[in-house]
PDB file of all heavy atoms in Angstrom:
ATOM      1  N   THR N 238      77.239 122.595 117.041  1.00  0.00           N
ATOM      2  CA  THR N 238      76.374 121.808 116.178  1.00  0.00           C
ATOM      3  C   THR N 238      76.701 122.121 114.717  1.00  0.00           C
ATOM      4  O   THR N 238      77.440 123.046 114.409  1.00  0.00           O
ATOM      5  CB  THR N 238      74.897 122.136 116.441  1.00  0.00           C
ATOM      6  OG1 THR N 238      74.666 123.534 116.161  1.00  0.00           O
ATOM      7  CG2 THR N 238      74.502 121.830 117.866  1.00  0.00           C
ATOM      8  N   GLY N 239      76.114 121.347 113.835  1.00  0.00           N
ATOM      9  CA  GLY N 239      76.316 121.594 112.412  1.00  0.00           C
ATOM     10  C   GLY N 239      77.299 120.628 111.793  1.00  0.00           C
ATOM     11  O   GLY N 239      77.492 119.500 112.266  1.00  0.00           O
ATOM     12  N   LEU N 240      77.933 121.084 110.738  1.00  0.00           N
ATOM     13  CA  LEU N 240      78.770 120.205 109.924  1.00  0.00           C
ATOM     14  C   LEU N 240      79.962 119.661 110.703  1.00  0.00           C
ATOM     15  O   LEU N 240      80.737 120.412 111.297  1.00  0.00           O
ATOM     16  CB  LEU N 240      79.261 120.972 108.695  1.00  0.00           C
ATOM     17  CG  LEU N 240      80.087 120.171 107.687  1.00  0.00           C
ATOM     18  CD1 LEU N 240      79.261 119.047 107.068  1.00  0.00           C
ATOM     19  CD2 LEU N 240      80.612 121.090 106.591  1.00  0.00           C
ATOM     20  N   ALA N 241      80.116 118.344 110.661  1.00  0.00           N
ATOM     21  CA  ALA N 241      81.273 117.693 111.269  1.00  0.00           C
ATOM     22  C   ALA N 241      82.205 117.129 110.212  1.00  0.00           C
ATOM     23  O   ALA N 241      83.423 117.169 110.379  1.00  0.00           O
ATOM     24  CB  ALA N 241      80.830 116.578 112.220  1.00  0.00           C
ATOM     25  N   GLU N 242      81.651 116.596 109.131  1.00  0.00           N
ATOM     26  CA  GLU N 242      82.492 115.895 108.156  1.00  0.00           C
ATOM     27  C   GLU N 242      81.771 115.757 106.824  1.00  0.00           C
ATOM     28  O   GLU N 242      80.546 115.607 106.778  1.00  0.00           O
ATOM     29  CB  GLU N 242      82.830 114.502 108.700  1.00  0.00           C
ATOM     30  CG  GLU N 242      83.766 113.683 107.861  1.00  0.00           C
ATOM     31  CD  GLU N 242      84.111 112.371 108.542  1.00  0.00           C
ATOM     32  OE1 GLU N 242      84.775 112.402 109.601  1.00  0.00           O
ATOM     33  OE2 GLU N 242      83.701 111.309 108.021  1.00  0.00           O
ATOM     34  N   VAL N 243      82.551 115.816 105.751  1.00  0.00           N
ATOM     35  CA  VAL N 243      82.051 115.536 104.405  1.00  0.00           C
ATOM     36  C   VAL N 243      82.822 114.346 103.862  1.00  0.00           C
ATOM     37  O   VAL N 243      84.059 114.354 103.835  1.00  0.00           O
ATOM     38  CB  VAL N 243      82.234 116.742 103.463  1.00  0.00           C
ATOM     39  CG1 VAL N 243      81.772 116.383 102.038  1.00  0.00           C
ATOM     40  CG2 VAL N 243      81.469 117.955 103.983  1.00  0.00           C
ATOM     41  N   GLY N 244      82.103 113.316 103.444  1.00  0.00           N
ATOM     42  CA  GLY N 244      82.731 112.168 102.810  1.00  0.00           C
ATOM     43  C   GLY N 244      82.729 112.337 101.306  1.00  0.00           C
ATOM     44  O   GLY N 244      81.708 112.688 100.713  1.00  0.00           O
ATOM     45  N   LEU N 245      83.883 112.115 100.684  1.00  0.00           N
ATOM     46  CA  LEU N 245      84.020 112.212  99.236  1.00  0.00           C
ATOM     47  C   LEU N 245      84.564 110.899  98.701  1.00  0.00           C
ATOM     48  O   LEU N 245      85.581 110.398  99.196  1.00  0.00           O
ATOM     49  CB  LEU N 245      84.964 113.354  98.846  1.00  0.00           C
ATOM     50  CG  LEU N 245      84.529 114.773  99.199  1.00  0.00           C
ATOM     51  CD1 LEU N 245      85.686 115.747  98.974  1.00  0.00           C
ATOM     52  CD2 LEU N 245      83.317 115.184  98.363  1.00  0.00           C
ATOM     53  N   LEU N 246      83.907 110.343  97.704  1.00  0.00           N
ATOM     54  CA  LEU N 246      84.410 109.156  97.029  1.00  0.00           C
ATOM     55  C   LEU N 246      85.331 109.585  95.908  1.00  0.00           C
ATOM     56  O   LEU N 246      84.988 110.461  95.115  1.00  0.00           O
ATOM     57  CB  LEU N 246      83.241 108.333  96.468  1.00  0.00           C
ATOM     58  CG  LEU N 246      82.237 107.816  97.494  1.00  0.00           C
ATOM     59  CD1 LEU N 246      81.064 107.134  96.793  1.00  0.00           C
ATOM     60  CD2 LEU N 246      82.901 106.861  98.477  1.00  0.00           C
ATOM     61  N   THR N 247      86.514 108.984  95.845  1.00  0.00           N
ATOM     62  CA  THR N 247      87.519 109.402  94.870  1.00  0.00           C
ATOM     63  C   THR N 247      88.155 108.181  94.214  1.00  0.00           C
ATOM     64  O   THR N 247      88.179 107.090  94.784  1.00  0.00           O
ATOM     65  CB  THR N 247      88.645 110.212  95.547  1.00  0.00           C
ATOM     66  OG1 THR N 247      89.385 109.346  96.426  1.00  0.00           O
ATOM     67  CG2 THR N 247      88.092 111.360  96.352  1.00  0.00           C
ATOM     68  N   ASP N 248      88.701 108.405  93.030  1.00  0.00           N
ATOM     69  CA  ASP N 248      89.491 107.333  92.423  1.00  0.00           C
ATOM     70  C   ASP N 248      90.918 107.403  92.963  1.00  0.00           C
ATOM     71  O   ASP N 248      91.345 108.400  93.552  1.00  0.00           O
ATOM     72  CB  ASP N 248      89.444 107.386  90.894  1.00  0.00           C
ATOM     73  CG  ASP N 248      90.008 108.669  90.299  1.00  0.00           C
ATOM     74  OD1 ASP N 248      91.023 109.183  90.827  1.00  0.00           O
ATOM     75  OD2 ASP N 248      89.456 109.155  89.303  1.00  0.00           O
ATOM     76  N   GLY N 249      91.657 106.324  92.785  1.00  0.00           N
ATOM     77  CA  GLY N 249      92.990 106.222  93.380  1.00  0.00           C
ATOM     78  C   GLY N 249      93.959 107.262  92.877  1.00  0.00           C
ATOM     79  O   GLY N 249      94.751 107.833  93.648  1.00  0.00           O
ATOM     80  N   GLU N 250      93.917 107.550  91.584  1.00  0.00           N
ATOM     81  CA  GLU N 250      94.846 108.529  91.002  1.00  0.00           C
ATOM     82  C   GLU N 250      94.590 109.918  91.563  1.00  0.00           C
ATOM     83  O   GLU N 250      95.524 110.651  91.915  1.00  0.00           O
ATOM     84  CB  GLU N 250      94.692 108.524  89.485  1.00  0.00           C
ATOM     85  CG  GLU N 250      95.630 109.482  88.766  1.00  0.00           C
ATOM     86  CD  GLU N 250      95.459 109.430  87.259  1.00  0.00           C
ATOM     87  OE1 GLU N 250      94.744 108.526  86.758  1.00  0.00           O
ATOM     88  OE2 GLU N 250      96.037 110.289  86.562  1.00  0.00           O
ATOM     89  N   THR N 251      93.326 110.290  91.667  1.00  0.00           N
ATOM     90  CA  THR N 251      92.969 111.610  92.195  1.00  0.00           C
ATOM     91  C   THR N 251      93.378 111.742  93.654  1.00  0.00           C
ATOM     92  O   THR N 251      93.918 112.768  94.082  1.00  0.00           O
ATOM     93  CB  THR N 251      91.453 111.827  92.049  1.00  0.00           C
ATOM     94  OG1 THR N 251      91.111 111.774  90.661  1.00  0.00           O
ATOM     95  CG2 THR N 251      91.031 113.162  92.629  1.00  0.00           C
ATOM     96  N   ARG N 252      93.135 110.692  94.429  1.00  0.00           N
ATOM     97  CA  ARG N 252      93.489 110.707  95.856  1.00  0.00           C
ATOM     98  C   ARG N 252      94.993 110.780  96.042  1.00  0.00           C
ATOM     99  O   ARG N 252      95.501 111.526  96.900  1.00  0.00           O
ATOM    100  CB  ARG N 252      92.902 109.464  96.529  1.00  0.00           C
ATOM    101  CG  ARG N 252      92.784 109.544  98.026  1.00  0.00           C
ATOM    102  CD  ARG N 252      91.884 108.453  98.583  1.00  0.00           C
ATOM    103  NE  ARG N 252      92.313 107.105  98.232  1.00  0.00           N
ATOM    104  CZ  ARG N 252      91.737 106.357  97.286  1.00  0.00           C
ATOM    105  NH1 ARG N 252      90.709 106.818  96.597  1.00  0.00           N
ATOM    106  NH2 ARG N 252      92.167 105.130  97.035  1.00  0.00           N
ATOM    107  N   ALA N 253      95.747 110.036  95.236  1.00  0.00           N
ATOM    108  CA  ALA N 253      97.207 110.055  95.345  1.00  0.00           C
ATOM    109  C   ALA N 253      97.767 111.427  94.997  1.00  0.00           C
ATOM    110  O   ALA N 253      98.682 111.934  95.661  1.00  0.00           O
ATOM    111  CB  ALA N 253      97.803 108.984  94.433  1.00  0.00           C
ATOM    112  N   ALA N 254      97.217 112.053  93.962  1.00  0.00           N
ATOM    113  CA  ALA N 254      97.695 113.380  93.564  1.00  0.00           C
ATOM    114  C   ALA N 254      97.388 114.410  94.646  1.00  0.00           C
ATOM    115  O   ALA N 254      98.211 115.289  94.949  1.00  0.00           O
ATOM    116  CB  ALA N 254      97.058 113.779  92.241  1.00  0.00           C
ATOM    117  N   ALA N 255      96.202 114.305  95.259  1.00  0.00           N
ATOM    118  CA  ALA N 255      95.852 115.227  96.337  1.00  0.00           C
ATOM    119  C   ALA N 255      96.776 115.034  97.529  1.00  0.00           C
ATOM    120  O   ALA N 255      97.184 116.007  98.181  1.00  0.00           O
ATOM    121  CB  ALA N 255      94.395 115.012  96.748  1.00  0.00           C
ATOM    122  N   ARG N 256      97.113 113.787  97.824  1.00  0.00           N
ATOM    123  CA  ARG N 256      98.024 113.501  98.930  1.00  0.00           C
ATOM    124  C   ARG N 256      99.368 114.190  98.717  1.00  0.00           C
ATOM    125  O   ARG N 256      99.898 114.840  99.627  1.00  0.00           O
ATOM    126  CB  ARG N 256      98.226 111.996  99.066  1.00  0.00           C
ATOM    127  CG  ARG N 256      99.157 111.602 100.212  1.00  0.00           C
ATOM    128  CD  ARG N 256      99.505 110.118 100.177  1.00  0.00           C
ATOM    129  NE  ARG N 256      98.333 109.264 100.368  1.00  0.00           N
ATOM    130  CZ  ARG N 256      97.799 108.507  99.438  1.00  0.00           C
ATOM    131  NH1 ARG N 256      98.321 108.491  98.204  1.00  0.00           N
ATOM    132  NH2 ARG N 256      96.758 107.752  99.698  1.00  0.00           N
ATOM    133  N   VAL N 257      99.921 114.080  97.530  1.00  0.00           N
ATOM    134  CA  VAL N 257     101.227 114.683  97.223  1.00  0.00           C
ATOM    135  C   VAL N 257     101.149 116.196  97.338  1.00  0.00           C
ATOM    136  O   VAL N 257     102.016 116.842  97.951  1.00  0.00           O
ATOM    137  CB  VAL N 257     101.697 114.261  95.824  1.00  0.00           C
ATOM    138  CG1 VAL N 257     102.922 115.070  95.408  1.00  0.00           C
ATOM    139  CG2 VAL N 257     102.008 112.761  95.799  1.00  0.00           C
ATOM    140  N   ARG N 258     100.123 116.799  96.745  1.00  0.00           N
ATOM    141  CA  ARG N 258     100.018 118.263  96.773  1.00  0.00           C
ATOM    142  C   ARG N 258      99.830 118.778  98.197  1.00  0.00           C
ATOM    143  O   ARG N 258     100.412 119.803  98.571  1.00  0.00           O
ATOM    144  CB  ARG N 258      98.868 118.716  95.868  1.00  0.00           C
ATOM    145  CG  ARG N 258      99.165 118.575  94.374  1.00  0.00           C
ATOM    146  CD  ARG N 258      98.125 119.281  93.526  1.00  0.00           C
ATOM    147  NE  ARG N 258      96.814 118.672  93.641  1.00  0.00           N
ATOM    148  CZ  ARG N 258      96.301 117.807  92.791  1.00  0.00           C
ATOM    149  NH1 ARG N 258      97.031 117.421  91.728  1.00  0.00           N
ATOM    150  NH2 ARG N 258      95.092 117.308  92.960  1.00  0.00           N
ATOM    151  N   CYS N 259      99.022 118.081  99.000  1.00  0.00           N
ATOM    152  CA  CYS N 259      98.820 118.517 100.390  1.00  0.00           C
ATOM    153  C   CYS N 259     100.125 118.424 101.182  1.00  0.00           C
ATOM    154  O   CYS N 259     100.468 119.344 101.941  1.00  0.00           O
ATOM    155  CB  CYS N 259      97.736 117.666 101.055  1.00  0.00           C
ATOM    156  SG  CYS N 259      96.050 118.052 100.530  1.00  0.00           S
ATOM    157  N   ARG N 260     100.854 117.335 101.007  1.00  0.00           N
ATOM    158  CA  ARG N 260     102.125 117.191 101.713  1.00  0.00           C
ATOM    159  C   ARG N 260     103.123 118.258 101.279  1.00  0.00           C
ATOM    160  O   ARG N 260     103.825 118.853 102.106  1.00  0.00           O
ATOM    161  CB  ARG N 260     102.690 115.795 101.467  1.00  0.00           C
ATOM    162  CG  ARG N 260     102.007 114.715 102.299  1.00  0.00           C
ATOM    163  CD  ARG N 260     102.594 113.357 102.015  1.00  0.00           C
ATOM    164  NE  ARG N 260     102.099 112.356 102.967  1.00  0.00           N
ATOM    165  CZ  ARG N 260     102.263 111.064 102.835  1.00  0.00           C
ATOM    166  NH1 ARG N 260     102.911 110.579 101.771  1.00  0.00           N
ATOM    167  NH2 ARG N 260     101.797 110.225 103.736  1.00  0.00           N
ATOM    168  N   ASP N 261     103.198 118.519  99.985  1.00  0.00           N
ATOM    169  CA  ASP N 261     104.129 119.536  99.486  1.00  0.00           C
ATOM    170  C   ASP N 261     103.782 120.917 100.019  1.00  0.00           C
ATOM    171  O   ASP N 261     104.670 121.763 100.207  1.00  0.00           O
ATOM    172  CB  ASP N 261     104.120 119.552  97.952  1.00  0.00           C
ATOM    173  CG  ASP N 261     104.802 118.334  97.344  1.00  0.00           C
ATOM    174  OD1 ASP N 261     105.471 117.589  98.096  1.00  0.00           O
ATOM    175  OD2 ASP N 261     104.658 118.124  96.125  1.00  0.00           O
ATOM    176  N   ALA N 262     102.482 121.155 100.256  1.00  0.00           N
ATOM    177  CA  ALA N 262     102.036 122.451 100.759  1.00  0.00           C
ATOM    178  C   ALA N 262     102.073 122.526 102.281  1.00  0.00           C
ATOM    179  O   ALA N 262     101.753 123.569 102.857  1.00  0.00           O
ATOM    180  CB  ALA N 262     100.615 122.731 100.266  1.00  0.00           C
ATOM    181  N   GLY N 263     102.457 121.434 102.936  1.00  0.00           N
ATOM    182  CA  GLY N 263     102.523 121.422 104.396  1.00  0.00           C
ATOM    183  C   GLY N 263     101.175 121.306 105.071  1.00  0.00           C
ATOM    184  O   GLY N 263     101.048 121.634 106.262  1.00  0.00           O
ATOM    185  N   VAL N 264     100.165 120.830 104.344  1.00  0.00           N
ATOM    186  CA  VAL N 264      98.834 120.653 104.920  1.00  0.00           C
ATOM    187  C   VAL N 264      98.800 119.321 105.675  1.00  0.00           C
ATOM    188  O   VAL N 264      99.161 118.278 105.132  1.00  0.00           O
ATOM    189  CB  VAL N 264      97.753 120.672 103.819  1.00  0.00           C
ATOM    190  CG1 VAL N 264      96.382 120.323 104.397  1.00  0.00           C
ATOM    191  CG2 VAL N 264      97.712 122.048 103.155  1.00  0.00           C
ATOM    192  N   SER N 265      98.363 119.366 106.910  1.00  0.00           N
ATOM    193  CA  SER N 265      98.300 118.161 107.732  1.00  0.00           C
ATOM    194  C   SER N 265      97.249 117.207 107.187  1.00  0.00           C
ATOM    195  O   SER N 265      96.144 117.622 106.816  1.00  0.00           O
ATOM    196  CB  SER N 265      97.959 118.541 109.175  1.00  0.00           C
ATOM    197  OG  SER N 265      97.822 117.384 109.972  1.00  0.00           O
ATOM    198  N   LEU N 266      97.612 115.931 107.126  1.00  0.00           N
ATOM    199  CA  LEU N 266      96.651 114.929 106.684  1.00  0.00           C
ATOM    200  C   LEU N 266      96.890 113.629 107.436  1.00  0.00           C
ATOM    201  O   LEU N 266      97.966 113.379 107.974  1.00  0.00           O
ATOM    202  CB  LEU N 266      96.738 114.717 105.168  1.00  0.00           C
ATOM    203  CG  LEU N 266      98.090 114.377 104.529  1.00  0.00           C
ATOM    204  CD1 LEU N 266      98.373 112.891 104.598  1.00  0.00           C
ATOM    205  CD2 LEU N 266      98.106 114.843 103.084  1.00  0.00           C
ATOM    206  N   VAL N 267      95.848 112.820 107.477  1.00  0.00           N
ATOM    207  CA  VAL N 267      95.901 111.530 108.148  1.00  0.00           C
ATOM    208  C   VAL N 267      95.517 110.464 107.130  1.00  0.00           C
ATOM    209  O   VAL N 267      94.555 110.634 106.374  1.00  0.00           O
ATOM    210  CB  VAL N 267      94.927 111.479 109.346  1.00  0.00           C
ATOM    211  CG1 VAL N 267      94.883 110.081 109.951  1.00  0.00           C
ATOM    212  CG2 VAL N 267      95.334 112.503 110.400  1.00  0.00           C
ATOM    213  N   GLU N 268      96.272 109.369 107.110  1.00  0.00           N
ATOM    214  CA  GLU N 268      95.935 108.259 106.227  1.00  0.00           C
ATOM    215  C   GLU N 268      95.354 107.132 107.069  1.00  0.00           C
ATOM    216  O   GLU N 268      95.990 106.630 107.995  1.00  0.00           O
ATOM    217  CB  GLU N 268      97.166 107.803 105.459  1.00  0.00           C
ATOM    218  CG  GLU N 268      97.695 108.879 104.525  1.00  0.00           C
ATOM    219  CD  GLU N 268      98.745 108.363 103.564  1.00  0.00           C
ATOM    220  OE1 GLU N 268      98.467 107.361 102.879  1.00  0.00           O
ATOM    221  OE2 GLU N 268      99.829 108.966 103.511  1.00  0.00           O
ATOM    222  N   ASP N 269      94.117 106.775 106.750  1.00  0.00           N
ATOM    223  CA  ASP N 269      93.402 105.713 107.447  1.00  0.00           C
ATOM    224  C   ASP N 269      93.175 104.593 106.434  1.00  0.00           C
ATOM    225  O   ASP N 269      92.153 104.538 105.761  1.00  0.00           O
ATOM    226  CB  ASP N 269      92.079 106.256 107.980  1.00  0.00           C
ATOM    227  CG  ASP N 269      91.272 105.217 108.743  1.00  0.00           C
ATOM    228  OD1 ASP N 269      91.813 104.117 108.997  1.00  0.00           O
ATOM    229  OD2 ASP N 269      90.101 105.500 109.073  1.00  0.00           O
ATOM    230  N   GLY N 270      94.154 103.715 106.307  1.00  0.00           N
ATOM    231  CA  GLY N 270      94.108 102.717 105.255  1.00  0.00           C
ATOM    232  C   GLY N 270      94.182 103.404 103.905  1.00  0.00           C
ATOM    233  O   GLY N 270      95.095 104.209 103.658  1.00  0.00           O
ATOM    234  N   ASP N 271      93.221 103.153 103.041  1.00  0.00           N
ATOM    235  CA  ASP N 271      93.178 103.803 101.732  1.00  0.00           C
ATOM    236  C   ASP N 271      92.455 105.136 101.771  1.00  0.00           C
ATOM    237  O   ASP N 271      92.313 105.791 100.739  1.00  0.00           O
ATOM    238  CB  ASP N 271      92.477 102.888 100.719  1.00  0.00           C
ATOM    239  CG  ASP N 271      93.300 101.663 100.378  1.00  0.00           C
ATOM    240  OD1 ASP N 271      94.541 101.736 100.486  1.00  0.00           O
ATOM    241  OD2 ASP N 271      92.700 100.631 100.019  1.00  0.00           O
ATOM    242  N   THR N 272      91.992 105.550 102.940  1.00  0.00           N
ATOM    243  CA  THR N 272      91.255 106.809 103.080  1.00  0.00           C
ATOM    244  C   THR N 272      92.186 107.928 103.520  1.00  0.00           C
ATOM    245  O   THR N 272      93.048 107.743 104.380  1.00  0.00           O
ATOM    246  CB  THR N 272      90.114 106.642 104.102  1.00  0.00           C
ATOM    247  OG1 THR N 272      89.182 105.681 103.603  1.00  0.00           O
ATOM    248  CG2 THR N 272      89.400 107.953 104.354  1.00  0.00           C
ATOM    249  N   LEU N 273      92.008 109.098 102.914  1.00  0.00           N
ATOM    250  CA  LEU N 273      92.794 110.277 103.231  1.00  0.00           C
ATOM    251  C   LEU N 273      91.893 111.273 103.959  1.00  0.00           C
ATOM    252  O   LEU N 273      90.811 111.605 103.476  1.00  0.00           O
ATOM    253  CB  LEU N 273      93.335 110.893 101.937  1.00  0.00           C
ATOM    254  CG  LEU N 273      94.266 112.092 102.045  1.00  0.00           C
ATOM    255  CD1 LEU N 273      95.585 111.695 102.681  1.00  0.00           C
ATOM    256  CD2 LEU N 273      94.503 112.694 100.651  1.00  0.00           C
ATOM    257  N   VAL N 274      92.327 111.732 105.139  1.00  0.00           N
ATOM    258  CA  VAL N 274      91.531 112.668 105.934  1.00  0.00           C
ATOM    259  C   VAL N 274      92.291 113.990 106.018  1.00  0.00           C
ATOM    260  O   VAL N 274      93.450 114.032 106.426  1.00  0.00           O
ATOM    261  CB  VAL N 274      91.269 112.124 107.350  1.00  0.00           C
ATOM    262  CG1 VAL N 274      90.377 113.085 108.130  1.00  0.00           C
ATOM    263  CG2 VAL N 274      90.618 110.747 107.277  1.00  0.00           C
ATOM    264  N   VAL N 275      91.626 115.071 105.630  1.00  0.00           N
ATOM    265  CA  VAL N 275      92.266 116.380 105.600  1.00  0.00           C
ATOM    266  C   VAL N 275      91.243 117.426 106.016  1.00  0.00           C
ATOM    267  O   VAL N 275      90.026 117.201 105.892  1.00  0.00           O
ATOM    268  CB  VAL N 275      92.819 116.668 104.170  1.00  0.00           C
ATOM    269  CG1 VAL N 275      91.688 116.748 103.158  1.00  0.00           C
ATOM    270  CG2 VAL N 275      93.676 117.920 104.143  1.00  0.00           C
ATOM    271  N   ARG N 276      91.702 118.549 106.520  1.00  0.00           N
ATOM    272  CA  ARG N 276      90.809 119.638 106.900  1.00  0.00           C
ATOM    273  C   ARG N 276      91.029 120.838 105.999  1.00  0.00           C
ATOM    274  O   ARG N 276      92.166 121.166 105.650  1.00  0.00           O
ATOM    275  CB  ARG N 276      91.036 120.043 108.361  1.00  0.00           C
ATOM    276  CG  ARG N 276      90.557 119.010 109.360  1.00  0.00           C
ATOM    277  CD  ARG N 276      90.505 119.587 110.752  1.00  0.00           C
ATOM    278  NE  ARG N 276      89.892 118.671 111.703  1.00  0.00           N
ATOM    279  CZ  ARG N 276      89.469 119.021 112.907  1.00  0.00           C
ATOM    280  NH1 ARG N 276      89.603 120.268 113.317  1.00  0.00           N
ATOM    281  NH2 ARG N 276      88.922 118.126 113.708  1.00  0.00           N
ATOM    282  N   ASP N 277      89.932 121.505 105.655  1.00  0.00           N
ATOM    283  CA  ASP N 277      90.055 122.702 104.819  1.00  0.00           C
ATOM    284  C   ASP N 277      90.478 123.888 105.688  1.00  0.00           C
ATOM    285  O   ASP N 277      90.637 123.743 106.911  1.00  0.00           O
ATOM    286  CB  ASP N 277      88.756 122.935 104.029  1.00  0.00           C
ATOM    287  CG  ASP N 277      87.646 123.609 104.827  1.00  0.00           C
ATOM    288  OD1 ASP N 277      87.815 123.890 106.026  1.00  0.00           O
ATOM    289  OD2 ASP N 277      86.580 123.852 104.220  1.00  0.00           O
ATOM    290  N   PRO N 278      90.689 125.075 105.125  1.00  0.00           N
ATOM    291  CA  PRO N 278      91.201 126.201 105.919  1.00  0.00           C
ATOM    292  C   PRO N 278      90.301 126.644 107.059  1.00  0.00           C
ATOM    293  O   PRO N 278      90.749 127.401 107.934  1.00  0.00           O
ATOM    294  CB  PRO N 278      91.332 127.312 104.865  1.00  0.00           C
ATOM    295  CG  PRO N 278      91.568 126.595 103.582  1.00  0.00           C
ATOM    296  CD  PRO N 278      90.707 125.374 103.676  1.00  0.00           C
ATOM    297  N   TRP N 279      89.037 126.162 107.105  1.00  0.00           N
ATOM    298  CA  TRP N 279      88.121 126.565 108.181  1.00  0.00           C
ATOM    299  C   TRP N 279      87.799 125.412 109.110  1.00  0.00           C
ATOM    300  O   TRP N 279      86.864 125.485 109.910  1.00  0.00           O
ATOM    301  CB  TRP N 279      86.856 127.179 107.569  1.00  0.00           C
ATOM    302  CG  TRP N 279      87.244 128.418 106.825  1.00  0.00           C
ATOM    303  CD1 TRP N 279      87.444 129.663 107.343  1.00  0.00           C
ATOM    304  CD2 TRP N 279      87.591 128.491 105.452  1.00  0.00           C
ATOM    305  NE1 TRP N 279      87.884 130.515 106.372  1.00  0.00           N
ATOM    306  CE2 TRP N 279      87.988 129.821 105.188  1.00  0.00           C
ATOM    307  CE3 TRP N 279      87.609 127.572 104.402  1.00  0.00           C
ATOM    308  CZ2 TRP N 279      88.389 130.244 103.929  1.00  0.00           C
ATOM    309  CZ3 TRP N 279      88.017 127.994 103.143  1.00  0.00           C
ATOM    310  CH2 TRP N 279      88.391 129.313 102.911  1.00  0.00           C
ATOM    311  N   GLY N 280      88.574 124.338 109.003  1.00  0.00           N
ATOM    312  CA  GLY N 280      88.432 123.239 109.936  1.00  0.00           C
ATOM    313  C   GLY N 280      87.429 122.180 109.556  1.00  0.00           C
ATOM    314  O   GLY N 280      87.169 121.261 110.347  1.00  0.00           O
ATOM    315  N   THR N 281      86.838 122.263 108.371  1.00  0.00           N
ATOM    316  CA  THR N 281      85.902 121.230 107.932  1.00  0.00           C
ATOM    317  C   THR N 281      86.671 119.971 107.556  1.00  0.00           C
ATOM    318  O   THR N 281      87.582 120.017 106.736  1.00  0.00           O
ATOM    319  CB  THR N 281      85.075 121.720 106.730  1.00  0.00           C
ATOM    320  OG1 THR N 281      84.245 122.815 107.146  1.00  0.00           O
ATOM    321  CG2 THR N 281      84.195 120.604 106.175  1.00  0.00           C
TER     322      THR N 281
END
């Protein structure tokens, strides 16, 4: 039980920059249309 997901509203530039940094760092991410889904180091 407890936290499953946090939704964050972002602008396009911020989201694009996060996408690049996560990929460069080898962090797994999923792109769902214009939405970026990523997990933090504890699985959130």
Side-chain angles (χ1 to χ4, degrees):
T238 61
L240 184 63
E242 184 176 294
V243 177
L245 296 170
L246 299 175
T247 67
D248 61 38
E250 181 179 351
T251 299
R252 199 165 57 257
R256 181 189 296 111
V257 170
R258 288 191 294 262
C259 285
R260 282 180 171 168
D261 288 348
V264 173
S265 177
L266 54 84
V267 174
E268 296 191 53
D269 181 8
D271 290 333
T272 296
L273 184 67
V274 183
V275 64
R276 290 193 173 195
D277 80 358
W279 297 277
T281 295

